[in-house]
Amino acid sequence: EKMITDNRVLFHRVANTLNYLDIKTVVVSCGTCYDQLQGYQFDKIFPGCRIIDIHEYLLEKGITLGDAGGGGYLYHDPCHSPMKLQDPMKTVKALVGEGVQKNDRCCGESGTLGVTRPDISTQIRFRKEEELKKGEAALRASGKAPAQGDVKILTSCPSCLQGLSRYGNDLNNGLLEADYIVVEMARKILGEQWLPEYVAVANAGGIERVLV
């Protein structure tokens, strides 16, 4: 409760400092953060403000892979999905193409579950591994992925991304590469050097620094 109160105070300070800006949208990239921020009553801190997941924001702005997509992906829908406006798979397919297949079952990470209860997490992991192998087979059978080679699984949760990275060697015919949807899009649209290029621009005055 104290942390929530402290954070709300901090956001009020941010709002006062940035009162010359008309902040109407707060973009998040984590379902747990989304749910937590909803309890902060952002509409009272930033009047008329909304909270939206970054993937839904990109779709709203018409930023998709388009012709650059089309490749086959697996998609892991987080237990705490940040996508609230429509069925997450509809958003994912609109962003990266129709060649994406949903892969069910919890990844076993669940925030700190993998650390605090490894016994439970390990059992969940075995079931997810089975699901990944089934997804791999279906993706290869559809022709969206080659018969041999690595398969990429996308997600929209930082905790799940960490959890999925543990399955790298568990496929039958290749490695499993886990990544964030928005990172895959940045790589395809902006190029492989998108991150260092962004950091360089940000460090050269591309970000406004505010003391609160």
Side-chain angles (χ1 to χ4, degrees):
E1 187 68 33
K2 182 180 184 301
M3 182 181 295
I4 293 175
T5 301
D6 290 345
N7 285 342
R8 290 188 65 188
V9 169
L10 181 59
F11 278 122
H12 275 289
R13 291 172 62 186
V14 171
N16 289 335
T17 304
L18 301 178
N19 60 8
Y20 58 91
L21 295 176
D22 188 21
I23 298 176
K24 294 299 183 184
T25 300
V26 174
V27 180
V28 299
S29 58
C30 167
T32 304
C33 295
Y34 188 115
D35 294 341
Q36 188 67 32
L37 290 177
Q38 277 190 317
Y40 287 1
Q41 298 179 310
F42 260 38
D43 57 327
K44 295 180 180 178
I45 301 174
F46 303 102
C49 176
R50 63 171 180 160
I51 304 172
I52 188 171
D53 171 63
I54 188 169
H55 303 97
E56 292 178 323
Y57 184 74
L58 289 174
L59 184 58
E60 179 184 283
K61 297 301 179 182
I63 301 174
T64 69
L65 285 186
D67 293 337
Y73 298 102
L74 295 177
Y75 175 66
H76 174 82
D77 193 21
C79 300
H80 272 188
S81 176
M83 301 186 200
K84 312 290 187 182
L85 301 181
Q86 62 180 0
D87 176 34
M89 277 305 296
K90 188 174 182 180
T91 299
V92 174
K93 288 187 175 183
L95 289 173
V96 302
E98 291 294 325
V100 60
Q101 295 186 15
K102 184 177 180 180
N103 193 256
D104 291 317
R105 297 287 178 174
C106 176
C107 66
E109 196 69 16
S110 300
T112 59
L113 177 66
V115 177
T116 57
R117 290 302 304 268
D119 53 333
I120 297 176
S121 180
T122 298
Q123 294 304 311
I124 295 174
R125 187 187 186 286
F126 288 146
R127 186 62 186 86
K128 180 63 175 179
E129 182 181 335
E130 293 177 7
E131 201 67 29
L132 285 170
K133 288 180 177 178
K134 287 198 299 184
E136 174 199 7
L139 197 62
R140 296 192 194 282
S142 71
K144 294 295 184 180
Q148 300 286 333
D150 300 342
V151 170
K152 181 161 284 188
I153 185 167
L154 303 177
T155 189
S156 55
C157 167
S159 179
C160 291
L161 179 59
Q162 178 175 301
L164 293 169
S165 66
R166 306 182 193 277
Y167 296 86
N169 296 313
D170 292 339
L171 297 186
N172 291 319
N173 297 293
L175 299 177
L176 181 71
E177 299 179 32
D179 217 336
Y180 222 58
I181 297 174
V182 69
V183 171
E184 178 72 2
M185 292 179 65
R187 185 181 294 113
K188 288 287 185 71
I189 296 172
L190 303 176
E192 292 292 338
Q193 297 302 310
W194 71 272
L195 183 55
E197 289 174 359
Y198 166 76
V199 172
V201 171
N203 288 337
I207 292 181
E208 181 178 355
R209 290 174 171 81
V210 179
L211 180 64
V212 294

